Amino acid sequence: VVEAEKRICELEKCEWALLTQSGMSAIDTALSIFQNGENNKPWLFFTEIYGGTNSYIDSVLVGRRGLDILTFAPDNGSYDLKKFEDILALNTPELIFLEVISNPLLIVADIEEIIRISGIYQCKVIIDNTFGTPHLLNPLSMGADLVIHSATKYLGGHGNITAGVVCGNNEDYRIAAVDYRKFIGHMLSADDAYRLTTQMETFKLRISQQFRNSEYIANLLDKSPVVEKVFFPSLEDHPTNEIARKQFGDRGYGAIITFDLAGCSAEEKRSRRDSFIAALSGKIRLIPTLGDSHTILMPVEPVWGYKYPEPGMIRLSVGFEETGQLADSISRALDTL
Ligand code: PLP
């Protein structure tokens, strides 16, 4: 376990890393060390975070622990940091929690600016860097207090491990997190940690290829007449394209692409979505996770219909296959529409 943690410290450029048995247990650990009996200031969560984290907030933090939770939502596909600062000034929360790249619309947060503003109000910053990965960004070097990952995704990279990690620099937080992990039993098994260590040997190779594939496929989809809109931060019409370019340089834009198929009616869009998925069967499978070695997909409406009711929308988690082969499968499926 310690060997795997050392590897993650090198990747995240931080003093310590503590493995847990899932991304959710990493989130629970990172947040719970700031819970202080009944004397809690409010905690602020960005709304565009993993659905499971939102359920944890509603069910555990509010429903069971009775914490005072504030939320911050984007406007027109990006975060208005003036509004964010107004919420901090008014409520002085204990901490904020956000993701570097949101899901499924790939909204990129300006991490440097968010950390700067939070510092003014002495508000701790906890960042879920699962989608960003340490290849794009090291938020702890920029002043974040804690970073978490679902190592189930890109750190493991093969869809065959469930693990999480909390990373930090502050020694008091480390001691508190070690205790919390021990008392609650959020420890990762040595077998899983061993497998994670070997799989992280290829992290840089895998992720570079995944990011390259993603840019290629996003451009391919963007040019297709049967695709109405592509959400990917490298594209100039993405609302956070400028922030992504500034923050990620030429390292990539993540490996998730969301796109909306064109159609004259909701029925037509839904039927095209289903035909596209059927045309890819055996090549790109419908699996409700992300970060696997192979490209996988998920229709958005059946999962997030309450929030994103677009019937033609599909989320692709791009793998590290050979680019030409992947592009060929997707082009052929688009052609059938
Ligand atoms: N954070 C993000 C961004 C996720 O997408 C997920 C899961 O999909 C999690 C955390 C939770 O991770 P796990 O499934 O390892 O508990």
Side-chain angles (χ1 to χ4, degrees):
V1 175
V2 171
E3 274 311 308
E5 290 173 346
K6 279 187 198 156
R7 282 291 300 131
I8 294 172
C9 285
E10 286 164 19
L11 291 172
E12 251 326 337
K13 299 192 175 60
C14 59
E15 294 292 320
W16 55 264
L18 296 175
L19 279 165
T20 61
Q21 77 282 60
S22 65
M24 287 314 303
S25 53
I27 291 171
D28 181 49
T29 305
L31 289 167
S32 297
I33 64 169
F34 296 108
Q35 192 181 347
N36 178 23
E38 293 195 345
N39 302 318
N40 291 288
K41 291 203 284 178
W43 293 357
L44 174 68
F45 287 83
F46 282 43
T47 52
E48 301 314 288
I49 52 178
Y50 169 53
T53 312
N54 270 320
S55 302
Y56 165 80
I57 295 167
D58 293 343
S59 166
V60 178
L61 299 186
V62 177
R64 296 188 183 280
R65 299 190 193 170
L67 286 160
D68 183 8
I69 302 298
L70 307 166
T71 54
F72 173 62
D75 289 302
N76 304 317
S78 70
Y79 298 116
D80 177 343
L81 295 188
K82 172 76 188 69
K83 265 195 189 166
F84 169 68
E85 179 156 10
D86 290 345
I87 301 181
L88 261 54
L90 190 66
N91 302 281
T92 56
E94 174 79 25
L95 59 85
I96 62 160
F97 180 98
L98 69 148
E99 294 180 11
V100 174
I101 307 178
S102 82
N103 182 17
L105 298 185
L106 295 320
I107 303 171
V108 178
D110 187 338
I111 299 298
E112 193 176 9
E113 191 55 12
I114 287 169
I115 291 174
R116 187 190 68 75
I117 296 169
S118 305
I120 300 171
Y121 302 93
Q122 278 140 37
C123 171
K124 283 137 200 136
V125 179
I126 304 179
I127 295 182
D128 182 336
N129 196 21
T130 302
F131 275 45
T133 82
H135 191 68
L136 283 189
L137 196 74
N138 296 126
L140 291 163
S141 314
M142 302 163 83
D145 293 279
L146 293 175
V147 161
I148 74 96
H149 286 272
S150 166
T152 313
K153 312 296 173 345
Y154 299 105
L155 296 179
H158 296 72
N160 60 3
I161 269 182
T162 303
V165 66
V166 186
C167 307
N169 289 324
N170 179 301
E171 181 60 11
D172 293 339
Y173 300 162
R174 188 190 69 81
I175 293 167
V178 165
D179 275 354
Y180 188 84
R181 181 179 65 168
K182 182 164 60 186
F183 301 153
I184 300 293
H186 277 337
M187 194 70 202
L188 187 69
S189 81
D191 279 346
D192 283 336
Y194 170 73
R195 201 145 38 93
L196 183 61
T197 317
T198 59
Q199 291 178 192
M200 281 191 302
E201 294 291 329
T202 54
F203 169 75
K204 289 211 166 182
L205 281 173
R206 288 189 274 107
I207 208 73
S208 308
Q209 176 67 3
Q210 275 169 289
F211 288 177
R212 256 196 310 275
N213 277 351
S214 302
E215 268 193 82
Y216 192 90
I217 299 299
N219 287 327
L220 185 151
L221 289 166
D222 201 37
K223 290 193 189 97
S224 167
V226 289
V227 175
E228 192 168 294
K229 184 149 181 61
V230 181
F231 297 85
F232 190 69
S234 77
L235 299 173
E236 275 174 21
D237 67 349
H238 191 280
T240 58
N241 170 258
E242 215 175 294
I243 296 164
R245 282 182 192 278
K246 177 190 84 167
Q247 192 159 252
F248 304 148
D250 57 5
R251 295 186 295 283
Y253 296 88
I256 304 290
I257 305 168
T258 300
F259 61 99
D260 204 6
L261 290 166
C264 295
S265 63
E267 267 327 301
E268 188 181 17
K269 287 181 176 192
R270 200 169 287 122
S271 128
R272 282 187 164 177
R273 176 196 75 197
D274 295 342
S275 306
F276 180 79
I277 295 173
L280 282 168
S281 76
K283 294 200 174 93
I284 296 183
R285 291 194 293 161
L286 193 169
I287 304 181
T289 183
L290 59 103
D292 283 18
S293 48
H294 293 99
T295 301
I296 53 178
L297 60 75
M298 199 171 84
V300 170
E301 188 197 26
V303 181
W304 279 294
Y306 61 97
K307 205 169 170 188
Y308 305 105
E310 287 77 6
M313 202 178 253
I314 293 175
R315 185 189 78 180
L316 272 185
S317 162
V318 179
F320 51 86
E321 303 93 331
E322 197 262 315
T323 314
Q325 198 184 338
L326 176 61
D328 189 52
S329 303
I330 292 177
S331 296
R332 281 170 196 265
L334 289 171
D335 285 348
T336 64
L337 306 184

